[in-house]
Amino acid sequence: MPKCTINGTEVEVKEGATVIEAFKKMDEDIAHYCWHPGLSIAGVCRLCMIDVEGARGPQIACNTVVKEGMVVTNQSEQIKDIVKWGMDFHLINHPLDCPICDQAGECGLQEQYMKFGQYDPEMDQRKVKKRKVVDLGEKVVLDSERCILCSRCVRFTDEVSKTKELGIFNRGDRSEIGTFKDKPLNNKYSLNTVDICPVGALTSKDFRFRQRVWYLKNEDTVCNGCSTGCNIKVYYNEDGLFRVKPEHNEEVNGYWMCDDGRDIYKFANKDQRLLKAKKFDGSTWLEMTAGKAMQDLHQNLFNDVKTNCSKVGVVFTGQYTNEEYANAMQTFKSLGVASFFEWNDSESTKDEFDGLLIRGDKNPNTKGLQDEARNHSGLKSLSDAISAVESGQIDTVFVMAPENISVYPNYQKTYESLSKAKNFIWFGANKTEGFEKTSSANTYLIPMKSYIEKDGTFSYHDHAQKFFAVTTIVAGALTLSEAMTLFQGKELEFELRAKPMTSLKNNHFTLNRGKL
Amino acid sequence: MNKVPQPNSLSNWYLPGIFKGLWYTLTNMIKNIFNRKAMPTLNYPEEKYNYSSRFKGNHILTVKKDGSLRCTACMLCATNCPAQCIKIDASEHDDPEVEKFPIKYEIDILRCVYCGFCEEACPVDAIRMGPEWQTPGLGNANFTYDIQKLAYRANLKGGIQSAVDDKERHKAGI
Ligand code: SF4
Ligand code: SF4
Ligand code: SF4
Ligand code: SF4
Ligand code: FES
């Protein structure tokens, strides 16, 4: 393990590590655009300049391997000057787009200009104009004027997604990023290029112009789009969630996530959610709060379930947390109910894996569900449940419905088949408008919290991850555990928890209003 | 600095204060009857005070040469607004040179404190504070001003042109 000295402090790094990694380890400022820890080294931006003691001249930190006893600094006047005018060179043809650029507020150029640049431009020639608003594919838009040709996006499609759609075309100041003629950027990981682009050259069609980034807070959580469980950051404000970006976790997802996972914020937003509990008593739908509905359920059905426990079925999906499964199964077991079913619309593809991140099992917690059920009487399949309902073997069904319904193509069909039962209790986060009318039974619809709003643990295919509530979107919704407590006729206990306002510090513009 | 009169033995009594006030009213009334020009009160709304043309009153959204809104929906005004009374929804423009434009721009004028920070923040002279200062309305009046009102209200005669023009800027090589 070689040791080196970075700006006067000694640091030990891994064998073969580069100087820029040592800088990052020390949290020392160093200008850079093209280096990305998840990609190969390109050394094209020439901003990560350092002085190495004994070397002939300045070097680039991203392509210099640390050697034992190396003494490195980037504090000398000469280096600062090189970086400053290097930055000027990058910005010669850069348009004055910040007001309409989606990257503004989290832009590498803005940040590094304030840190290392702050020069007065000395260019008196006209700017080279390039193509704007180029449609690269289904999800990504390119603005070649803003591109600084760091080649991160090209390296991403070459090395990580291995789809090789992007390239740099032309030469000199006419160089441009582009796709080969008939091959749009449509791979399953394309939005990662937007994340790693240090400027606003690549933007996401989904997020474009919907919010300014400084209006958003962010919080870490995990993705529930499949059983990989990428670590993510969700960006939200009082209007709901707006986007999802990957967070680095070497053991799970590295620096990346798939494009489908970035849509998970959509089902959690208010316009997709069941806001109030509903009860159908054979003729009309009554709206009530979730707590009221659970009390009602306790009075009407609790004793019934106890006495008729052999005619009760509980259908689970792999979209709830371990804690909720434990609680719910315990509750039903104590009532004597033993028929547990598993509903999984991605059953047939559940062992598929694309070699990078995407897994065929589109539930985050199938493993947690199956592990928990092993402590009880195991899980039967959904078709068993449907036939039992049809034959009248089961007349009371509790359904723990999925929240990410985009991976449940049979969502409505299953609702319709199961709602033929005499008593039908549906716990779900999504709105059921459009098909709730088909039910003729004693039906309850109980709004559930999405996983963004609760604490819990998911057991993914080979690891478990704990996550914490990010924000509240539907105030009246319950977790499954809360619903079970109320179902047993007990009171809810509230734990008031002061949340540290970590995200506030991200909101630089609001905090420094008037001082900028 | 104003001196706050301390209570004295006289102020414990009711009538001396009343007469003092009535005397003050009477002398002023007589003064105003004989010298009406010096009277500071205006008979609003028949008489109006003329403020300077630089008075910062109701907002104006400026327009481009073709009459469309100058605003690029950068939201710097909304960010800078201390009353948080500006609401903007941006959208994608068909013309790639314009790229972004507001489909909704609303100012909740009753929350506005007329500080002028929005005007100061705007990078393209798209919002100005005009000399118009009267904002009356009846009970059901709409005090949330939208694009129609801010840019194209009748007394702006088709819109005020912005001083910043993208086409000219591009021609100059910026
Ligand atoms: S890429 Fe950065 S510097 Fe360039 S226009 Fe966008 S925000 Fe401004
Ligand atoms: S589009 Fe972005 S990531 Fe790709 S080369 Fe240009 S600046 Fe770099
Ligand atoms: S004048 Fe001040 S308070 Fe009113 S809209 Fe502008 S910034 Fe906001
Ligand atoms: S008025 Fe000016 S500052 Fe406000 S959004 Fe429009 S361009 Fe930006
Ligand atoms: S980061 Fe080293 S050359 Fe770009």
Side-chain angles (χ1 to χ4, degrees), chain A residues 190-227:
Chain A
S190 62
L191 283 170
N192 288 308
T193 58
V194 175
D195 294 339
I196 56 174
C197 180
V199 297
L202 297 175
T203 45
S204 145
K205 279 191 192 168
D206 184 42
F207 183 65
R208 235 168 117 79
F209 304 155
R210 286 185 52 223
Q211 279 289 332
R212 284 310 229 166
V213 291
W214 56 83
Y215 292 139
L216 299 174
K217 301 174 203 157
N218 61 56
E219 205 77 62
D220 292 346
T221 182
V222 294
C223 174
N224 85 340
C226 78
S227 65

Side-chain angles (χ1 to χ4, degrees), chain A residues 96-97 99-102 125-127 129 132-133 141 143 146 208-210 212 214-215 509-510 513-514, chain B residues 72-76 78-82 84 90-92 96 98-100 123 169-174:
Chain A
L96 269 176
D97 267 358
I100 51 165
C101 179
D102 247 10
Q125 300 295 308
R126 282 159 169 263
K127 292 194 174 188
K129 295 280 166 200
K132 288 185 96 70
V133 202
V141 179
D143 186 310
R146 292 180 201 150
R208 235 168 117 79
F209 304 155
R210 286 185 52 223
R212 284 310 229 166
W214 56 83
Y215 292 139
F509 286 87
T510 309
R513 178 182 285 129
Chain B
T72 60
C74 68
M75 315 213 180
L76 293 187
T79 305
N80 215 18
C81 174
Q84 303 194 354
S91 184
E92 184 107 33
V98 179
E99 205 169 339
K100 190 180 180 189
R169 273 215 290 211
H170 287 171
K171 244 183 249 156
I174 303 174

Side-chain angles (χ1 to χ4, degrees), chain B residues 56-59 109 112-117 129 132-133 135 145:
Chain B
K56 292 191 180 295
N58 283 354
H59 307 71
I109 213 73
C112 172
V113 295
Y114 291 90
C115 61
F117 280 9
M129 308 205 49
E132 195 188 306
W133 53 272
T135 330
Y145 290 1

Side-chain angles (χ1 to χ4, degrees), chain B residues 117-174:
Chain B
F117 280 9
C118 47
E119 187 186 27
E120 230 166 89
C122 183
V124 291
D125 183 34
I127 187 162
R128 290 188 198 163
M129 308 205 49
E132 195 188 306
W133 53 272
Q134 297 176 84
T135 330
L138 293 174
N140 56 355
N142 185 4
F143 287 108
T144 305
Y145 290 1
D146 59 0
I147 292 179
Q148 198 52 40
K149 171 111 183 173
L150 288 167
Y152 305 112
R153 54 179 179 259
N155 57 353
L156 297 181
K157 305 198 173 68
I160 307 290
Q161 211 170 343
S162 166
V164 183
D165 188 87
D166 275 346
K167 295 232 165 69
E168 277 162 22
R169 273 215 290 211
H170 287 171
K171 244 183 249 156
I174 303 174

Side-chain angles (χ1 to χ4, degrees), chain A residues 225-276:
Chain A
C226 78
S227 65
T228 300
C230 297
N231 287 209
I232 57 171
K233 248 187 184 19
V234 286
Y235 290 75
Y236 64 98
N237 64 17
E238 64 282 1
D239 296 332
L241 309 175
F242 284 90
R243 68 170 177 184
V244 172
K245 280 189 174 233
E247 245 327 81
H248 175 233
N249 185 342
E250 204 49 59
E251 278 145 39
V252 183
N253 56 320
Y255 294 89
W256 323 114
M257 73 180 292
C258 77
D259 288 356
D260 291 340
R262 295 183 197 247
D263 286 338
I264 57 152
Y265 75 89
K266 289 182 181 156
F267 69 74
N269 269 345
K270 223 171 186 163
D271 54 338
Q272 297 296 322
R273 297 285 295 278
L274 185 61
L275 303 179
K276 276 260 161 91

Side-chain angles (χ1 to χ4, degrees), chain A residues 173-356:
Chain A
D173 62 4
R174 310 274 148 179
S175 311
E176 253 183 71
I177 292 290
T179 49
F180 297 95
K181 217 164 186 179
D182 47 357
K183 223 175 152 194
L185 179 67
N186 272 351
N187 66 61
K188 287 207 164 291
Y189 296 93
S190 62
L191 283 170
N192 288 308
T193 58
V194 175
D195 294 339
I196 56 174
C197 180
V199 297
L202 297 175
T203 45
S204 145
K205 279 191 192 168
D206 184 42
F207 183 65
R208 235 168 117 79
F209 304 155
R210 286 185 52 223
Q211 279 289 332
R212 284 310 229 166
V213 291
W214 56 83
Y215 292 139
L216 299 174
K217 301 174 203 157
N218 61 56
E219 205 77 62
D220 292 346
T221 182
V222 294
C223 174
N224 85 340
C226 78
S227 65
T228 300
C230 297
N231 287 209
I232 57 171
K233 248 187 184 19
V234 286
Y235 290 75
Y236 64 98
N237 64 17
E238 64 282 1
D239 296 332
L241 309 175
F242 284 90
R243 68 170 177 184
V244 172
K245 280 189 174 233
E247 245 327 81
H248 175 233
N249 185 342
E250 204 49 59
E251 278 145 39
V252 183
N253 56 320
Y255 294 89
W256 323 114
M257 73 180 292
C258 77
D259 288 356
D260 291 340
R262 295 183 197 247
D263 286 338
I264 57 152
Y265 75 89
K266 289 182 181 156
F267 69 74
N269 269 345
K270 223 171 186 163
D271 54 338
Q272 297 296 322
R273 297 285 295 278
L274 185 61
L275 303 179
K276 276 260 161 91
K278 291 178 182 174
K279 181 191 172 185
F280 189 71
D281 57 3
S283 54
T284 47
W285 282 99
L286 303 173
E287 269 202 0
M288 51 181 95
T289 62
K292 181 84 186 40
M294 288 314 296
Q295 274 174 2
D296 200 273
L297 200 59
H298 171 71
Q299 278 159 16
N300 285 350
L301 273 179
F302 188 70
N303 287 331
D304 256 21
V305 169
K306 227 176 186 170
T307 45
N308 276 333
C309 57
S310 62
K311 296 193 90 178
V312 178
V314 188
V315 179
F316 287 98
T317 50
Q319 304 229 334
Y320 291 83
T321 63
N322 288 349
E323 292 79 357
E324 287 170 302
Y325 290 138
N327 197 318
M329 288 188 188
Q330 198 54 49
T331 308
F332 282 111
K333 194 183 180 186
S334 68
L335 293 172
V337 177
S339 315
F340 294 156
F341 302 93
E342 185 188 0
W343 169 19
N344 183 358
D345 277 359
S346 44
E347 186 74 48
S348 55
T349 57
K350 81 175 193 294
D351 294 324
E352 282 173 16
F353 179 49
D354 76 342
L356 188 51

